Structure formats: C-alpha cells, structure tokens
Amino acid sequence: MRDMSAYKPSRRELLTLLAASPFAPRLLGAETDYTAWYREAKFGMFIHWGPYSVASVEASWPIMRPSKEFPITEEQYRALPQQFNPTKFDADAFVALAKAAGQKYMVFTTKHHDGFCMFDSAYTDYKITNTPYKKDIVGRLAEACQRAGMPLGFYYSPPDMNHAAFRDTSKPASENWNGEPTRSVWPLYLDYMELQLRELLTRYGDVVLIWFDGLYNQRKFDGERMHRAIRALQAQTLINNRIGIPGDFETPEQFLPAAIPVKGKKLDWENRDTGTKANYIPTADEFRLWETCMTINNTWAYNKNDQAFKSSRQLIHTLVEVASRGGNFLLNVGPQPDGIIQAEFQERLRAIGKWMERNNASIYGTTYGPVQGAKGFRTTAKGRDVFVHVFDWPGTELNVSAENLPKFGSASMLEGGQPLEFKQQDGRMTIKLPSEAPDPDATVIRLQG
Ligand code: H79
C-alpha cells in the first residue's frame, strides 16, 4: 500500500489529480451540487466479497439467521479466513469489467455484518492481512480505481458480529445479532466504528460514498457522529440512508420503487411505497435521490449453488426502468474465492455494456422521464430531449400519451440516427416505426425539443 499520508502533491499535480476526480467541478467552484457526478453516473458495480465466498454461503446471514439453505455453524464460518487466499485477484480486472459494463462507480464491502475487514485495520485482528492472502484488498482496489479514474465507494456494516462491544460474543450471533446498545461497553463500539471510518477515509484516496447497512434500530449507531466524522475528512463523500438519518439517497434493496421517490419518505424492506400517486411526476425540488441495489442471481456473496441468473435483457430493462424513475442501479457481483468474477456475471455485464455502448446517451446524465407507467416502454429525459426505450415492440406505430410532452422538432433512432415520422395532436403522439425491433433488448427513440 502506498502511504497516502506522507504524500504532498505540488500545485500542478493537485490540479491534475483534481481534474481526474469526480469532485473536480465542486472543488473548482463550477458546480455546487456535490451529488452531480452521482446523478449522472446512473450505473454502478456493487461487490460483496469476503471469506464467506470460500463456502458458497450468503454473507454473514448464515450465522445471524441460521437456515437450511446455508448449513454452516458459526464456528465453521468464523474459521473461513484461514482458507481465504484469492491468488487470482486482479483489481485492475475488476475495474476493467465495470468499465466494460458501462458502470461509472464501484462500491466494495470493506466490512460486512460478520465484522471481517477486507482492509488492514489497526483496530482488529479479524482482517484480510491475517489470512493466507495477507494483502490489503481494499488498498489494491483503491489503487486500481485511481489508475482508471473509477470512483470508489465503501460499504461498511454498522452491525458487527465479531466485536465484543457490539454484542456479547460468548453467545451465538443468532441470539443477539441486532446488537446490545444498553450494555456499558456500547460506546467502545461507536469509537471503533469512527476509528475505522477514519482509516477508510484517510488511507485510500477519494471515497465517493459510504454505504452503511444499518439493519434495524439504526439510531443506536449515532449517525450524526458518523456523518460528522466522514464530512470532516472528505466533505464530498455521499452517505446513504441506513444509519438512522436520511443522508443523501434512498436505497431500495432488490426492488424498484413503484413511483418516482420524493423527499421525506424512507424506502426500505418494510416500506416500499413512495407515498405518491402512481405515475406522479415530482418537481426537481421534491425529487429524492435513490439507488436500487440488486443481485444478478439471488445471493450477494459468491454461491456456486445459485444458478438463478437474471438474463442480460432483464438487467438492461431494470437499468432503464430505474433510470426512468431518476434512480441509480447498483448491480452486485460476488467474486469467487480464487479472486475471479464468475463467467455468468461477466457475460451479463459485458452484454449490458454492449447495449450501453450504443445507447448510453439515453442513460448517463438523464433524469426521470415525462411519461411514467406506460405499457411496453420507459422514458428518460435530458435537457429538452426525451428518450423512449421500447421493451415490447408495437409493430409499425408507437402511441405515446403526450399530456406531459412539449412539442418536439424531431424523432429518430438513437442508434444510427434514422429519422422517424411522427404526429403530435389531441394529447397523443404517434411515431412511425419499422415493423421489427431493431434492438431485441430495447430500442431507443430520441425525441428532440
Ligand atoms: O449486504 C446485503 C445484505 O446482506 C444486506 N444488505 C445487502 C446490501 C441485507 N441486510 N438485510 N437484508 C439484506 C434484508 C434482510 C433480509 C432478511 Fe433474511 C430476511 C433477513 C432475515 C430474513 C435473507 C433471508 C437473509 C436471511 C434470510
């Protein structure tokens, strides 16, 4: 690991570094919204990786909620780091894969609920540098992201099954996995959290976001204190909504909000409703930033027994659907214990990337579209342009309700630019189309103002 603390860049180097940073606009004074890069990014890679990958079991939950699905004892689970040796891990390959998929940021599990640290924390022995692999994986990934100009964020679990101040570790985790904040040692756990956040925010360069996964009763983690600690070190770091205070964005997990999210409504496993009418179009000020995280199969961790892969077409549609409601799509991979990302994930990510190469203008930098809840297509918007993503090809004519639409000057295929005839009258827009879908995954039509 490079020692970042001893490094003092010259002014020229600083400007060069700044230009490569997602924070550049803000730091250079041209842009005041520190969420701007994130709003534009739209698509990210989530990575769940730890010694749990050795056993093809879900991350942490097998000891918190033992189940027949993942038959492993807590003792066996806790011994997994002794076998964790991902000799084929290549951080640059992870970043290259994300780029090939069209993903604009990455979020890595620095510590999951099990408490195992994928970085060389000074405050625990339960960490990557004490495995046969020995190397700081968070450090390797941070360096690769810096080389490639890829924004990197850190997932950090407040719940920590390994820490004796979080819970009485002489009991099985299944009995007290939600933590024991009434014990006198609890403040020591909050100190530990803050110290680790400081490590993460001072050693690894720019941290574009912190993704807390606070589970239940999140107020016990003193979110205000953790926010202060983060902001004092990196003022531009975004913080999600899972540490008891709203933070910068909502995080629907494995689902899409049915309508465009608005401020003041927390979305989580139990509360999936946005509180608005279906198809409601909020003002820019009402809109609440959000990100759906999702697995490609049904497991966050690597699981050789889980073959229920979503198709690339399905994933492209989900990306479009998320973008059509103004959100970001954080799509997860669980790397294998040898350090390779499995072929099934790579195939799908590269297929999404191929579609993005042709159509990314309808995704990056867009926001929610003016037509919501339509049958067979989804819209996004950028400036005066509207993009219509057709999922179910209608034949030679597409009908769009034009209630919320301005008068357009032209319509064309986004890919190839072929002009399309259209009519706008009586609250309807009709666009003439070829009889067959040019793109079997989703064809994009660009309407220009
Ligand atoms: O890190 C991933 C998950 O481990 C974590 N968040 C994502 C990003 C997560 N925490 N809680 N949940 C997901 C949802 C909780 C699901 C549960 Fe269950 C239902 C917990 C107990 C019942 C799933 C099914 C886990 C155990 C059984």
Side-chain angles (χ1 to χ4, degrees), residues 91-224:
D92 296 303
F94 279 27
V95 179
L97 179 61
K99 284 206 159 182
Q103 293 168 319
K104 294 286 198 185
Y105 61 109
M106 299 171 77
V107 181
F108 187 78
T109 48
T110 61
K111 183 190 90 170
H112 205 261
H113 311 320
D114 57 18
F116 182 84
C117 293
M118 291 291 275
F119 62 108
D120 187 21
S121 175
Y123 307 104
T124 184
D125 293 329
Y126 196 48
K127 61 180 175 180
I128 188 65
T129 43
N130 292 332
T131 65
Y133 188 64
K134 291 199 170 68
K135 296 181 274 280
D136 183 331
I137 286 182
V138 170
R140 297 287 155 120
L141 190 62
E143 287 164 8
C145 284
Q146 279 153 24
R147 280 193 287 276
M150 172 66 77
L152 176 65
F154 292 147
Y155 170 107
Y156 182 85
S157 170
D160 187 322
M161 299 311 118
N162 184 60
H163 200 289
F166 175 78
R167 66 181 192 95
D168 177 352
T169 49
S170 69
K171 294 183 180 155
S174 58
E175 285 177 22
N176 55 13
W177 59 264
N178 214 356
E180 296 174 311
T182 55
R183 293 192 309 156
S184 61
V185 290
W186 181 256
L188 296 176
Y189 181 65
L190 297 185
D191 290 347
Y192 177 75
M193 274 184 70
E194 180 171 343
L195 288 165
Q196 289 202 319
L197 288 169
R198 286 176 181 277
E199 292 182 314
L200 290 170
L201 287 152
T202 53
R203 290 179 177 180
Y204 303 105
D206 285 348
V207 179
V208 297
L209 61 86
I210 295 288
W211 213 104
F212 287 120
D213 201 357
L215 300 182
Y216 307 95
N217 313 104
Q218 296 170 359
R219 297 291 306 161
K220 65 179 176 284
F221 296 117
D222 197 350
E224 286 84 356

Side-chain angles (χ1 to χ4, degrees), residues 46 48 61 65 112-113 155 213 215 242 253 269 300:
F46 212 172
H48 274 67
W61 286 100
R65 287 270 200 114
H112 205 261
H113 311 320
Y155 170 107
D213 201 357
L215 300 182
R242 295 196 184 187
E253 176 170 332
W269 308 295
W300 294 98

Side-chain angles (χ1 to χ4, degrees), residues 7-51:
Y7 176 63
K8 282 251 161 40
S10 71
R11 190 184 144 72
R12 202 166 139 247
E13 280 177 308
L14 201 64
L15 286 172
T16 315
L17 285 171
L18 220 57
S21 149
F23 306 141
R26 176 135 201 252
L27 297 176
L28 295 170
E31 171 66 72
T32 49
D33 180 2
Y34 69 109
T35 67
W37 74 268
Y38 180 78
R39 288 173 191 266
E40 286 169 16
K42 292 287 153 199
F43 189 26
M45 174 182 278
F46 212 172
I47 304 176
H48 274 67
W49 201 23

